[in-house]
Structures are given as C-alpha cells and as structure tokens.
C-alpha cells in the first residue's frame, strides 16, 4: 500500500525540519562509516530521489555496512537478500503455495516486500534471478501468477556488487543497471579514518548500537520536500544536453537513456535540498553526472582496449560541455523567466 496511514502527518517539511531530519540520518550512518561523508550524502540523496543505489567496489571496504547502516537508521521494514548462484527468482518476488486446509493457492511474499531491500553481492546470482528485480524497481509492484501486488512507499533497493573481474560474478543486464539511480564506490579509507575504524570497531561492531532516527512516514515527507525543489528550464536543458552527449560520443556504443535524464534531475533536486536550497544549480548536475550516468553507458571496443573507463568518458563530457549562465540568479526562475544563455566552462 503506497498511501499514508490515517492520521499520519503529510505535506512538505520546513527547511529547518528537513535539515534536522536528514542531518540526523547522515550523522547516524557516519557512526559506522568512517571518513565517507560524501558517499553517505549521495546515498541519502538517492533515497530522497525515490531511486535505487548500486555500491560497487572490492570486498572489505564497507559496501554492505553502508547499506545496513542506512537501513537501520530508518524505522521501516527491511529485508536482506544474499545473492548466490542458486538463488531463484521466486526467492526474491514470492511464490504461490497450495494450502491444503483452504484448498486454494496462497501467496507467500518474497524478500522485496519491504521498504528497504538490501541486496548483497547482486552480481553473484544468475541473470535470470537478477531480472526478478526489474518490475519492482521500476513500477513498485510485483506480479506473480497473474496477480499484481503493490509495494509499500518508500521503496528502495540498495545493492552491492564486486567488480566483474572478480571470480564467480555475472555482469548485470543493461536494463537492470539502468534502473539503479546511481552507482558509487566506497574506496579505501584514508589513514586517519582507518585508525578511527580500528578504535571504534576493534572490540565491538557499532552497527549493533545504531537506533532509528526516522520512520517511513518521515521519509515520505522528506521525499515530498525534495520533489518540490525547483529546476529551471535552463537546468533541465543542461541535463538533456549532458545525456545527449553520451549518445553522440564516438567512444560510447550505448548512451544514457531518457530514464537517466529524469533520475539525474530528481537526484539533483535531492542534493539541492540537502544543501539548503530550493532550486537546482548546474553544479549539482556536474557533480552527479558520473555516479548517475557512468554505469548506464557501454564504451566501444576501441575505448575498452585503450582502458578508457566510463567514469573518465563522462567526466570529459562534463568538462567540455557548456553550462547555462545568466546575468542574475538564473536558476531560481519561479518569479520571472528568461535571461539565460550558455557559456563554456573555460577550464
């Protein structure tokens, strides 16, 4: 059921309420994840953009820890799926079982029936099982045996995966990669953060001490507040130009989809709200271009032979593409329009 319960507070939050709630979530997560404030901030932004997050990195850098810390910071239903080669699609979506007492089939919900689904090592399952997430990630529903079941709001999939060069992994299908709003890498911590990790994680796991600082109703209001952030026409045109450039780049065989344009704007609105603004800047799109677009594109064979990564290609597109500029504040255009033109970045 996606509608609020009776008597639940609704409507956008004030700026102070939004800041207090989001800061509490991020501070809570950072009790477990040391020295990764930007990564934590992007994870929260994807939540507020009603998207899904893919965390890709080598083993042991805290991918699952981040996903579980985000889940524990919100008082809502959470399910964890350990993806393995023998995992079946019905383990994810659910299955109809014959009940001998009622002499009828009874639906047993799968692990996706939760507000936040943590999929650990998603690329260790077969493509058939990976594809079981396609419908629920895009349409927020599951269809089993001809019957459609709505998923609760908010709904978010946080999946971790090892690089495809790792043994025993299957590349995610293009259609599934496109459904993830952003892909992030944890990276190794700096020496200071690693030293703090040894002190804080040496004798016990701080994840066990985490307590929820928000609930599903609060997250719904946070999402509604982020959704109301203004994106000027010039900013939307810039987002389209970024995505179009990935389709026209000679080093890219498959460019970003129209879905990526929509998710780029949605995530930029969430980032702007986290920054205390009620309008989107081109800087927001530039900062999000790599995490939102790079995992969706496929480079050509020549680019792969030259060891050109999709992150590098998207960064170069951002570097050379002109950005919108105007004589006054051009991005808060709700009172008046016009006056916006493009200029090169001049780097």
């Amino acid at each position: 059921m996606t509608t609020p319960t009776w008597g639940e507070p609704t409507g956008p939050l004030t700026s102070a309420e939004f800041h207090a709630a989001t800061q509490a979530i991020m501070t809570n997560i950072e009790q477990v994840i040391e020295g990764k404030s930007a990564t934590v901030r992007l994870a929260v932004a994807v939540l507020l953009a009603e998207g899904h997050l893919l965390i890709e990195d080598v083993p042991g850098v805290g991918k699952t820890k981040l996903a579980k810390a985000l889940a524990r910071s919100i008082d809502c239903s959470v399910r964890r799926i350990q993806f393995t080669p023998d995992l079946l699609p019905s383990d994810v979506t659910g299955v109809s079982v014959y009940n001998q007492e009622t002499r009828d089939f009874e639906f047993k919900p799968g692990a996706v029936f939760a507000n936040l689904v943590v999929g650990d090592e998603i690329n260790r399952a077969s493509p058939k099982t990976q594809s079981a997430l396609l419908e629920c990630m895009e349409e927020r529903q599951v269809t089993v045996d001809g019957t459609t079941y709505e998923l609760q709001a908010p709904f978010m999939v946080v999946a971790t995966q090892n690089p495809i060069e790792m043994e025993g992994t299957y590349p995610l299908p293009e259609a599934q990669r496109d459904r993830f709003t952003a892909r992030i890498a944890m990276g190794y911590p700096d020496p200071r953060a690693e030293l703090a990790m040894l002190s804080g994680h040496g004798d016990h796991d701080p994840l066990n001490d985490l307590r929820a600082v928000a609930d599903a109703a609060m997250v719904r209001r946070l999402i509604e507040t982020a959704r109301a952030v203004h994106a000027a026409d010039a900013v939307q045109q810039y987002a389209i130009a970024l995505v179009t450039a990935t389709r026209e780049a000679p080093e890219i065989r498959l460019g970003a989809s129209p879905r990526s344009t929509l998710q780029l704007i949605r995530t930029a609105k969430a980032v702007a709200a986290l920054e205390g603004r009620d309008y989107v800047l081109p800087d927001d799109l530039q900062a999000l271009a790599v995490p939102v677009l790079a995992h969706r594109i496929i480079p050509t064979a020549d680019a792969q032979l030259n060891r050109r990564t999709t992150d590098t290609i998207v960064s170069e597109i951002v570097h050379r593409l002109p950005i919108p500029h105007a004589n006054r504040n051009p991005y808060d255009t709700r009172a008046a329009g016009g006056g916006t033109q493009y200029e090169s970045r001049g780097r």
Side-chain angles (χ1 to χ4, degrees):
M1 186 170 61
T2 60
T3 55
T5 58
W6 178 258
E8 175 186 303
T10 58
L13 300 168
T14 65
S15 178
E17 291 172 336
F18 183 90
H19 175 76
T22 54
Q23 194 62 41
I25 295 173
M26 291 186 291
T27 302
N28 208 45
I29 298 172
E30 288 175 8
Q31 295 181 41
V32 177
I33 306 298
E34 303 281 353
K36 297 293 180 183
S37 298
T39 302
V40 170
R41 194 176 192 84
L42 181 55
V44 174
V46 172
L47 170 67
L48 302 185
E50 301 180 89
H52 309 289
L53 183 64
L54 180 63
I55 311 173
E56 178 182 296
D57 217 322
V58 296
V61 293
K63 302 186 299 295
T64 305
K65 191 81 74 176
L66 172 60
K68 293 174 71 174
L70 175 61
R72 293 198 181 188
S73 298
I74 303 169
D75 184 15
C76 60
S77 57
V78 179
R79 298 289 296 273
R80 183 179 185 274
I81 309 173
Q82 182 64 53
F83 282 82
T84 57
D86 60 347
L87 189 73
L88 298 175
S90 58
D91 297 328
V92 177
T93 59
V95 64
S96 295
V97 179
Y98 185 74
N99 189 324
Q100 292 185 350
E101 293 183 359
T102 62
R103 296 180 180 275
D104 198 2
F105 284 93
E106 183 179 300
F107 178 66
K108 299 292 184 182
V112 295
F113 285 84
N115 293 117
L116 205 154
V117 178
V118 178
D120 198 21
E121 295 188 314
I122 187 173
N123 61 337
R124 291 206 181 276
S126 66
K128 178 180 179 180
T129 302
Q130 294 172 4
S131 299
L133 290 169
L134 291 177
E135 181 184 11
C136 64
M137 291 177 68
E138 177 64 19
E139 303 174 45
R140 266 64 174 180
Q141 66 182 30
V142 173
T143 302
V144 177
D145 294 335
T147 304
T148 299
Y149 304 89
E150 297 289 333
L151 297 175
Q152 294 181 346
F155 175 72
M156 180 183 186
V157 174
V158 182
T160 70
Q161 74 168 1
N162 296 310
I164 58 174
E165 295 82 6
M166 293 285 178
E167 186 175 351
T169 58
Y170 301 85
L172 290 180
E174 290 81 2
Q176 182 149 6
R177 288 205 308 269
D178 196 51
R179 280 165 167 76
F180 283 102
T181 300
R183 180 191 64 183
I184 61 175
M186 297 293 295
Y188 291 111
D190 58 49
R192 181 178 299 179
E194 197 159 3
L195 180 61
M197 182 193 71
L198 293 177
S199 302
H201 297 238
D203 54 352
H204 77 291
D205 188 353
L207 189 65
N208 297 328
D209 300 331
L210 281 192
R211 298 293 180 266
V213 295
D215 56 15
M218 175 58 72
V219 172
R220 280 191 284 267
R221 297 186 69 189
L222 291 171
I223 291 172
E224 189 173 353
T225 305
R227 194 185 297 154
V229 170
H230 175 69
D233 289 343
V235 174
Q236 295 185 40
Q237 291 168 7
Y238 181 54
I240 294 172
L242 279 172
V243 175
T244 301
T246 67
R247 303 167 189 162
E248 298 174 349
E251 293 181 299
I252 298 177
R253 180 163 57 92
L254 177 65
S257 66
R259 181 192 286 124
S260 63
T261 314
L262 179 61
Q263 294 184 343
L264 182 61
I265 288 293
R266 285 178 176 174
T267 313
K269 288 184 176 184
V271 168
L274 291 173
E275 295 288 341
R277 286 180 277 109
D278 60 353
Y279 56 91
V280 178
L281 293 174
D283 296 26
D284 301 324
L285 301 181
Q286 292 171 350
L288 292 169
V290 170
V292 173
L293 300 180
H295 65 288
R296 306 169 189 271
I297 65 178
I298 300 178
T300 62
D302 289 341
Q304 293 177 0
L305 287 174
N306 293 328
R307 298 185 180 276
R308 301 273 292 161
T309 66
T310 56
D311 288 17
T312 301
I313 296 172
V314 172
S315 295
E316 292 177 353
I317 290 174
V318 172
H319 178 82
R320 68 172 181 261
L321 200 67
I323 61 174
H325 171 73
N327 296 327
R328 61 179 180 81
N329 184 353
Y331 312 117
D332 189 4
T333 58
R334 288 161 292 183
T340 301
Q341 59 188 17
Y342 278 83
E343 69 170 15
S344 63
R345 299 186 61 176
R347 283 189 179 178

